[in-house]
C-alpha cells in the first residue's frame, strides 16, 4: 500500500509544472490580442483615449506583465479569480462560476452515468457475442454515437419531441434543483440523452475491444478448464480486467464531456459554465474567460491524477515500475 | 493481466511473421529488390479490401469530396442568392419542394425554380448552401489534420530521436500543457487572442498581412491536435530507434539529421498518417461545433456548422428542414471518415482486426 501513496505524491508533484505552464499560457495569451484588451473590449462603443487610460489604470494594466501575472496567479492560488471586466457587471468571477457550476456538474454527472450504463453492457454484449447479430447491433449504435454531432442530436430531439409531440419539458426553460427536483430532472432528460449517448459510443468501443482481449487471455481458458461457469468468467474475471483500461477512456472522455456540455447548454439554453464562456467571448470579458479556462484546466489535471492513481491501484504493474 | 500482456505480444509477433512471410501470390516477386516492402503493401491492401465497412467509408468520402469539388457545377444556385416565395413574395424559410422566384431590383422575375430542400431564413437555397458548406467544412477538417500532423510529428520525431534529453523534455512538457484542454475550450481561448473575423497584422518584414478568418480557425483547432500526433510519433520513433539498422547507420557515420529524416521518419510516417485519418472526424466535429457557437466561420460564408447555428431560431416554429439537412450531412461525413480510419488502422495493425 505504501507504494500507492508514494505514487500519488509523485504524480501530484509532476502536475505542478504543468499547472504553472497552463496558468502562464492562459494569462499571457489574452495580452497577445491585437490592439490590446481594453481597446478591443471598448470597440463596440466610442471611447476617448482618456477613458481607455482610466480603465487601464483601474484594471492595473499599466503594470509590467509579470507583476500582473504574479498578482493574478497569487489570487488564483487562494481561490480568488478576480472580477469581471464587463462594464455592466463587475461581479467576482468566483461567484459567476459558483452560480453556474451546479448545472454543468449535474449535466456532466448524469450524462456520465447514462454513458456508462449504455456503454459497458453494450461492450460486454459485443465481445461475448462477437460477430453475431447482437454484436453488429451494438457496433452500429456505438459508431452512430461517435459520428452524430451531439449538438445536432439535441436539435433533433427538440424538433421531434418538443415541436411534433409538444412535450413541454423537452424545450422549456431550466428549473433550479432547489425549486423543484422533478421539474429540474425532467428538463435535463433530453440534454442528458444528447450528451450521454455520444459518450457511450466511445466507452462501448473500448469496452468491447478490451473485453475481447481479456476473453482471449490464457487465464480464461484455465478457468474454463477448472469448470467455472461462463457467467462467472465473463463478469468476475474478464469484465473486471477489461474495465481497467476503460477507466482511462472515462478519464480522457471528461474532456469530450466538457466540449459536449458547452454545445448542449447552448442548444437547450441552459445557464451553465459553457454558456458563460461563450457569452464572455462575445463580450471580451477576459477575466471571466481566464477564470473559466483555468478552472476547467485544473479539473482536468486533477481528474487525470485520480484516474492515474486508480489505474495504478488496480494494476500493480504500473506502480511497481514507477509508472508515468 | 500479466499473462495477457505476454499473450498479446506473442500474437503480434506471430501475426508479424505471417505478414512478412511469402504468401503464394507474391512468390513471383521474390527476386525483386522491393519484395519486403511490396508484400507489406499487398498485405495491407488484402487486409483492407476484405473490410466492407471500411470500403463503404472510403466510397462515402470519395463521393463527398467529389460533391464538394464540383459544388459550382452541381449546385442549382449560388449560395448567396436570396429567393422569394411566389405566394407572398417574402424571404422566409420555404418548405422543401416550394416554387421560388428570384427578382431583380425592379421587381421583375428573373428566375423561377423549385427549392428541393427548401430555403433558409433569408431565402437562400439550402441544397446549394449544403454543397458549398460541405466544401468549407472538408477544407477545414483536412487542413487541420494536415497542419497538426506535420507540426506534431516533427516535434514528436525530434523528441523521440533525442529520447530523455533536454530537448525531449522541453517538447513533451509543452505538449503536456496543451493536452488536458477540451478541444473547443482551447480553441475558444485561442480565438480570444487572435480575434474573430479577418485581421490585418503589420509585421516588421512582411508588411501588412491580412489573415482570413478560415485560416485562423484552421490554426486554432490545429493546436488542439498537435500534442496527439507528437505523442504517437514520439512513441513510434522510440521503438524504431531500437532497430539494429540504426546502429548500423551510425557505424558507417551517418549524421543524426540523415538518420532521422531519411530513415526513421520515412518508416514511422504510415502509422501517424493512419492516426491522422482517425482524427479528421473529430477535427470536423470541433470546427462545426465552433461555427455552431457562432465563433467559427462567419456569415455570409456557407458552412454546415453555421447553417445549424442559424437554424436554432427556427426549430420551435417547425422549420425542420433548416436544421435536419446540414446536421445529417455532418453526421454522414464524420461516419465516412470514422469507417475509413478504422479500416486503415485494422489493415496496418492486425491486432485491431474486427474492431469497428
Amino acid at each position: 500500500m505504501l507504494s500507492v501513496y508514494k505514487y500519488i505524491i509523485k504524480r501530484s508533484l509532476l502536475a505542478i509544472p504543468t499547472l504553472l505552464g497552463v496558468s502562464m499560457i492562459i494569462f499571457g495569451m489574452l495580452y497577445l490580442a491585437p490592439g490590446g484588451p481594453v481597446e478591443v473590449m471598448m470597440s463596440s462603443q466610442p471611447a476617448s483615449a482618456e477613458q481607455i487610460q482610466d480603465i487601464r489604470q483601474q484594471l492595473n494594466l499599466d503594470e509590467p506583465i509579470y507583476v500582473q501575472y504574479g498578482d493574478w496567479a497569487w489570487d488564483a492560488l487562494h481561490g480568488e479569480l478576480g472580477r469581471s471586466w464587463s462594464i455592466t457587471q463587475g461581479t467576482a468571477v468566483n461567484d459567476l462560476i459558483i452560480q453556474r457550476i451546479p448545472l454543468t456538474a449535474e449535466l456532466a454527472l448524469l450524462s456520465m452515468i447514462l454513458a456508462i450504463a449504455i456503454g459497458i453492457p453494450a461492450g460486454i454484449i459485443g465481445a461475448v457475442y462477437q460477430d453475431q447479430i447482437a454484436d453488429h447491433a451494438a457496433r452500429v449504435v456505438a459508431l452512430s454515437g461517435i459520428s452524430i454531432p451531439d449538438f445536432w442530436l439535441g436539435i433533433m430531439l427538440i424538433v421531434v419531441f418538443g415541436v411534433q409531440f409538444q412535450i413541454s419539458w423537452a424545450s422549456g426553460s431550466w428549473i433550479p434543483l432547489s425549486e423543484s427536483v422533478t421539474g429540474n430532472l425532467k428538463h435535463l432528460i433530453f440534454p442528458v440523452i444528447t450528451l450521454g449517448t455520444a459518450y457511450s459510443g466511445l466507452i462501448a468501443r473500448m469496452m468491447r475491444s478490451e473485453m475481447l482481449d481479456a476473453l482471449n487471455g490464457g487465464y480464461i481458458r484455465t478457468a474454463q478448464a477448472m469448470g467455472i461457469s461462463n457467467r462467472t468468467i465473463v463478469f468476475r474475471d474478464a469484465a473486471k480486467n477489461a474495465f481497467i483500461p476503460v477507466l482511462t477512456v472515462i478519464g480522457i472522455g471528461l474532456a469530450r464531456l466538457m466540449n459536449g456540455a458547452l454545445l448542449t447548454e447552448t442548444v437547450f439554453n441552459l445557464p451553465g459554465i459553457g454558456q458563460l464562456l461563450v457569452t464572455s467571448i462575445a463580450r471580451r470579458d477576459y477575466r471571466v474567460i481566464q477564470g473559466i479556462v483555468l478552472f476547467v484546466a485544473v479539473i482536468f489535471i486533477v481528474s487525470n491524477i485520480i484516474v492515474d492513481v486508480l489505474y495504478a491501484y488496480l494494476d500493480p504493474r504500473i506502480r511497481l515500475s514507477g509508472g508515468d | 493481466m500479466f499473462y495477457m500482456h505476454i499473450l498479446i505480444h506473442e500474437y503480434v509477433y506471430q501475426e508479424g511473421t505471417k505478414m512478412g512471410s511469402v504468401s503464394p501470390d507474391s512468390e513471383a516477386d521474390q527476386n525483386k529488390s522491393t519484395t519486403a516492402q511490396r508484400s507489406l503493401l499487398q498485405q495491407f491492401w488484402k487486409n483492407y479490401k476484405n473490410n466492407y465497412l471500411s470500403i463503404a467509408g472510403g466510397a462515402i468520402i470519395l463521393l463527398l469530396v467529389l460533391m464538394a469539388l464540383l459544388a459550382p457545377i452541381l449546385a442549382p444556385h449560388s449560395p448567396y442568392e436570396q429567393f422569394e416565395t411566389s405566394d407572398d413574395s417574402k424571404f422566409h424559410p420555404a418548405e422543401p419542394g416550394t416554387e421560388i422566384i428570384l427578382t431583380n431590383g425592379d421587381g421583375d422575375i428573373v428566375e423561377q425554380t423549385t427549392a428541393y430542400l427548401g430555403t433558409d431564413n433569408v431565402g437562400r437555397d439550402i441544397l446549394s448552401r449544403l454543397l458549398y458548406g460541405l466544401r468549407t467544412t472538408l477544407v477545414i477538417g483536412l487542413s487541420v489534420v494536415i497542419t497538426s500532423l506535420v507540426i506534431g510529428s516533427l516535434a514528436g520525431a525530434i523528441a523521440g530521436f533525442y529520447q530523455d534529453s533536454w530537448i525531449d523534455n522541453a517538447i513533451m512538457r509543452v505538449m503536456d500543457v496543451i493536452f488536458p484542454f477540451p478541444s473547443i475550450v482551447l480553441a475558444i481561448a485561442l480565438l480570444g487572442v487572435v480575434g474573430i473575423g479577418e485581421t490585418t497584422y503589420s509585421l516588421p518584414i512582411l508588411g501588412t498581412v491580412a489573415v482570413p478568418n478560415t485560416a485562423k480557425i484552421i490554426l486554432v483547432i490545429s493546436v488542439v491536435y498537435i500534442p496527439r500526433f507528437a505523442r504517437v510519433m514520439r512513441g513510434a520513433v522510440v521503438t524504431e530507434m531500437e532497430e539494429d539498422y540504426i546502429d548500423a547507420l551510425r557505424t558507417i557515420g551517418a549524421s543524426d539529421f540523415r538518420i532521422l529524416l531519411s530513415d526513421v521518419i520515412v518508416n514511422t510516417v504510415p502509422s501517424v498518417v493512419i492516426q491522422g485519418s482517425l482524427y479528421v472526424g473529430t477535427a470536423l466535429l470541433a470546427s462545426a461545433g465552433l461555427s455552431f457557437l457562432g465563433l467559427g466561420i462567419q456569415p455570409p460564408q456557407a458552412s454546415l456548422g453555421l447553417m445549424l447555428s442559424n437554424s436554432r431560431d427556427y426549430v420551435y416554429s417547425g422549420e425542420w428542414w433548416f436544421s435536419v439537412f446540414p446536421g445529417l450531412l455532418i453526421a454522414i461525413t464524420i461516419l465516412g471518415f470514422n469507417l475509413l480510419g478504422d479500416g486503415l488502422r485494422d489493415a496496418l495493425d492486425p491486432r485491431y482486426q474486427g474492431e469497428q
Side-chain angles (χ1 to χ4, degrees), chain B residues 183-202:
Chain B
S183 55
I184 295 183
V185 175
L186 179 58
I188 289 180
L190 290 173
L191 275 175
V193 179
V194 297
I196 300 160
E198 192 183 275
T199 318
T200 29
Y201 294 93
S202 353

Side-chain angles (χ1 to χ4, degrees), chain A residues 18 21-22 25-26 29-30 32-34 139 143 146-149 151-152 155-156 158-159 163 171 205 208-209 213-214 216-218 241 255 258-259 262-263 266-267 277-278 281 284 286 293 296-297 300 315 317, chain B residues 1-2 4-5 7-8 176-177 180-185 188-190 192-196 199 201 285 288-289 292-293 295 308 311-312 315-316 318 320 323-324 327-328 330-331 334-335 338-339 342 354-356:
Chain A
T18 310
V22 166
I25 291 180
I26 291 170
M29 63 187 183
L30 296 177
L32 295 171
R139 273 153 75 175
L143 202 61
I146 292 169
S147 301
I148 294 174
F151 46 100
W152 182 59
I155 295 178
M156 289 301 102
I158 296 177
V159 165
V163 180
S171 53
R205 272 162 72 107
R208 180 179 177 277
S209 77
D213 274 352
N216 289 330
N241 278 335
M258 184 64 210
N259 271 339
L262 212 89
L263 295 160
T266 308
V267 171
L277 182 62
V278 175
I281 290 281
R284 295 278 182 156
Y286 285 131
V293 177
V296 169
F300 280 104
D315 188 347
R317 274 180 302 167
Chain B
M1 279 301 278
F2 184 58
M4 245 182 65
H5 191 67
L7 275 171
I8 293 173
D176 285 351
V177 170
F181 286 103
S183 55
I184 295 183
V185 175
I188 289 180
L190 290 173
V193 179
V194 297
I196 300 160
T199 318
Y201 294 93
L285 198 60
F292 179 73
L293 294 173
L295 303 170
L308 265 183
S311 77
R312 270 180 56 220
V315 167
Y316 297 105
W320 55 270
S323 50
V324 167
L328 200 60
I330 299 177
I334 295 173
L335 183 73
N338 281 341
L339 288 173
D342 279 354
E355 236 180 70
Q356 277 91 37

Side-chain angles (χ1 to χ4, degrees), chain B residues 162-345:
Chain B
Y162 298 105
Q163 192 190 352
D164 293 330
S165 69
W166 67 269
I167 302 178
D168 180 22
N169 275 319
I171 292 177
M172 294 323 283
R173 290 299 84 77
V174 172
M175 297 301 163
D176 285 351
V177 170
I178 305 174
F179 203 74
F181 286 103
S183 55
I184 295 183
V185 175
L186 179 58
I188 289 180
L190 290 173
L191 275 175
V193 179
V194 297
I196 300 160
E198 192 183 275
T199 318
T200 29
Y201 294 93
S202 353
L203 298 173
I205 302 159
L206 300 163
T208 49
V209 180
V211 180
N213 191 39
T214 314
K216 280 182 181 173
I217 293 164
I218 292 168
L219 210 66
V220 157
I221 304 176
S222 298
V223 174
V224 176
Y225 293 95
I226 289 174
R228 290 159 214 236
F229 285 108
R231 283 187 176 186
V232 173
M233 191 65 171
R234 184 181 177 277
V237 168
V238 165
T239 317
E240 190 72 15
M241 292 301 288
E242 285 162 10
E243 296 286 326
D244 291 335
Y245 80 90
I246 302 286
D247 289 333
L249 280 171
R250 286 206 200 282
T251 320
I252 60 166
S255 67
D256 280 4
F257 189 69
R258 215 218 98 175
I259 298 176
L260 183 62
L261 272 190
S262 64
D263 297 289
V264 176
I265 289 192
V266 171
N267 284 331
T268 45
V269 145
S271 59
V272 180
V273 169
I274 301 251
Q275 194 72 25
S277 70
L278 285 167
Y279 282 135
V280 180
T282 54
L284 263 173
L285 198 60
S287 76
L290 216 53
S291 296
F292 179 73
L293 294 173
L295 303 170
I297 297 294
Q298 296 300 306
Q301 203 184 345
S303 110
L304 299 178
L306 186 62
M307 287 174 81
L308 265 183
S309 175
N310 289 338
S311 77
R312 270 180 56 220
D313 297 335
Y314 296 85
V315 167
Y316 297 105
S317 46
E319 276 104 1
W320 55 270
W321 59 91
F322 201 175
S323 50
V324 167
F325 299 124
L328 200 60
L329 194 55
I330 299 177
I332 292 171
T333 314
I334 295 173
L335 183 73
F337 277 112
N338 281 341
L339 288 173
L340 180 71
D342 279 354
L344 290 177
R345 183 196 57 186

